[in-house]
Amino acid sequence: MARRDVSGAVDFSVLERTTGGDDGVSEEVLALFAEQAAIWAPMLQAGTDGWRDAAHTLRGAAAGIGAGDLARACAEAEAGDGVGLDRVQNELDRALADVAAWRHELMLRSLKG
Protein backbone atom coordinates (compact mmCIF):
# COMPACT_ATOMS: atom_id res chain seq x y z
CA MET A 1 0.00 0.00 0.00
CA ALA A 2 1.21 3.53 -0.73
CA ARG A 3 2.58 5.39 2.25
CA ARG A 4 2.21 8.98 1.01
CA ASP A 5 1.06 11.72 3.37
CA VAL A 6 1.79 9.59 6.42
CA SER A 7 3.98 11.19 9.11
CA GLY A 8 5.08 8.10 10.97
CA ALA A 9 2.88 8.75 14.01
CA VAL A 10 1.31 5.33 13.38
CA ASP A 11 3.24 2.19 12.53
CA PHE A 12 0.65 0.60 10.28
CA SER A 13 2.56 -2.68 10.19
CA VAL A 14 1.13 -3.23 13.69
CA LEU A 15 -2.39 -2.77 12.34
CA GLU A 16 -1.68 -5.01 9.36
CA ARG A 17 -0.39 -7.78 11.62
CA THR A 18 -3.44 -7.44 13.85
CA THR A 19 -5.89 -7.54 10.94
CA GLY A 20 -4.00 -10.09 8.88
CA GLY A 21 -3.72 -7.51 6.12
CA ASP A 22 -7.49 -7.50 5.54
CA ASP A 23 -8.32 -3.99 4.27
CA GLY A 24 -11.96 -4.24 5.39
CA VAL A 25 -11.00 -5.14 8.94
CA SER A 26 -8.30 -2.44 8.94
CA GLU A 27 -10.89 0.15 7.92
CA GLU A 28 -13.23 -1.02 10.68
CA VAL A 29 -10.47 -0.85 13.32
CA LEU A 30 -9.39 2.62 12.17
CA ALA A 31 -13.00 3.84 12.17
CA LEU A 32 -13.36 2.61 15.76
CA PHE A 33 -10.14 4.39 16.72
CA ALA A 34 -11.44 7.63 15.21
CA GLU A 35 -14.73 7.23 17.09
CA GLN A 36 -12.90 6.58 20.36
CA ALA A 37 -10.78 9.68 19.78
CA ALA A 38 -13.88 11.80 19.18
CA ILE A 39 -15.47 10.53 22.39
CA TRP A 40 -12.46 10.82 24.69
CA ALA A 41 -10.50 13.80 23.32
CA PRO A 42 -12.74 16.45 24.95
CA MET A 43 -11.76 15.05 28.36
CA LEU A 44 -8.01 15.43 27.81
CA GLN A 45 -7.63 18.41 30.11
CA ALA A 46 -6.27 18.34 33.65
CA GLY A 47 -9.04 19.02 36.12
CA THR A 48 -11.69 17.57 33.83
CA ASP A 49 -13.58 14.62 35.25
CA GLY A 50 -12.61 11.54 33.34
CA TRP A 51 -9.25 12.70 31.95
CA ARG A 52 -7.52 9.61 33.39
CA ASP A 53 -10.11 7.27 31.84
CA ALA A 54 -9.71 9.12 28.54
CA ALA A 55 -5.91 8.77 28.59
CA HIS A 56 -6.14 5.12 29.60
CA THR A 57 -8.66 4.22 26.92
CA LEU A 58 -6.75 6.08 24.22
CA ARG A 59 -3.52 4.41 25.32
CA GLY A 60 -4.97 0.98 24.60
CA ALA A 61 -6.57 2.04 21.34
CA ALA A 62 -3.32 3.67 20.21
CA ALA A 63 -1.25 0.60 21.00
CA GLY A 64 -3.69 -1.52 19.01
CA ILE A 65 -3.14 0.42 15.80
CA GLY A 66 0.57 1.11 16.22
CA ALA A 67 0.45 4.71 17.50
CA GLY A 68 3.33 4.19 19.91
CA ASP A 69 4.08 7.87 20.61
CA LEU A 70 0.44 8.43 21.55
CA ALA A 71 0.36 5.34 23.76
CA ARG A 72 3.53 6.49 25.57
CA ALA A 73 2.21 10.03 26.00
CA CYS A 74 -1.01 8.64 27.50
CA ALA A 75 0.92 6.41 29.91
CA GLU A 76 3.10 9.33 31.01
CA ALA A 77 0.07 11.56 31.57
CA GLU A 78 -1.61 8.84 33.64
CA ALA A 79 1.50 8.41 35.78
CA GLY A 80 2.04 12.16 36.13
CA ASP A 81 -1.41 13.09 37.39
CA GLY A 82 -2.34 14.80 34.14
CA VAL A 83 0.96 16.49 33.41
CA GLY A 84 1.55 16.08 29.71
CA LEU A 85 -2.06 16.04 28.54
CA ASP A 86 -1.13 18.70 25.97
CA ARG A 87 1.38 16.24 24.54
CA VAL A 88 -1.34 13.58 24.48
CA GLN A 89 -3.56 15.90 22.44
CA ASN A 90 -0.70 16.71 20.05
CA GLU A 91 0.12 13.03 19.55
CA LEU A 92 -3.58 12.25 19.09
CA ASP A 93 -3.82 14.91 16.38
CA ARG A 94 -0.76 13.44 14.61
CA ALA A 95 -2.16 9.91 14.84
CA LEU A 96 -5.57 11.02 13.55
CA ALA A 97 -3.96 12.71 10.56
CA ASP A 98 -2.13 9.48 9.72
CA VAL A 99 -5.28 7.44 10.25
CA ALA A 100 -7.21 9.73 7.90
CA ALA A 101 -4.51 9.37 5.23
CA TRP A 102 -4.43 5.60 5.64
CA ARG A 103 -8.21 5.32 5.48
CA HIS A 104 -8.10 7.37 2.29
CA GLU A 105 -5.57 4.93 0.82
CA LEU A 106 -7.82 2.02 1.82
CA MET A 107 -10.77 3.69 0.13
CA LEU A 108 -8.80 4.28 -3.06
CA ARG A 109 -7.65 0.70 -3.03
CA SER A 110 -11.20 -0.58 -2.69
CA LEU A 111 -12.20 1.46 -5.75
CA LYS A 112 -9.49 -0.18 -7.83
CA GLY A 113 -10.87 -3.58 -6.96
Side-chain angles (χ1 to χ4, degrees):
M1 175 174 294
R3 302 294 198 260
R4 65 182 162 81
D5 300 324
V6 178
S7 74
V10 179
D11 177 358
F12 288 101
S13 68
V14 173
L15 176 69
E16 289 177 337
R17 281 192 305 274
T18 301
T19 65
D22 184 308
D23 287 353
V25 175
S26 292
E27 167 55 29
E28 188 173 337
V29 169
L30 293 175
L32 288 170
F33 177 81
E35 287 177 23
Q36 288 289 310
I39 292 167
W40 294 102
M43 295 180 206
L44 292 175
Q45 296 180 22
T48 301
D49 288 339
W51 73 262
R52 192 178 301 274
D53 291 334
H56 183 78
T57 300
L58 288 172
R59 181 180 73 182
I65 66 164
D69 290 343
L70 175 56
R72 283 185 289 282
C74 288
E76 290 169 11
E78 282 185 275
D81 290 330
V83 174
L85 284 173
D86 287 342
R87 180 170 168 244
V88 171
Q89 187 61 60
N90 289 337
E91 293 299 336
L92 178 59
D93 290 345
R94 288 183 62 231
L96 286 170
D98 277 13
V99 164
W102 196 264
R103 291 178 75 191
H104 181 75
E105 291 289 338
L106 290 172
M107 189 255 335
L108 290 175
R109 231 173 119 160
S110 73
L111 293 175
K112 292 177 183 175

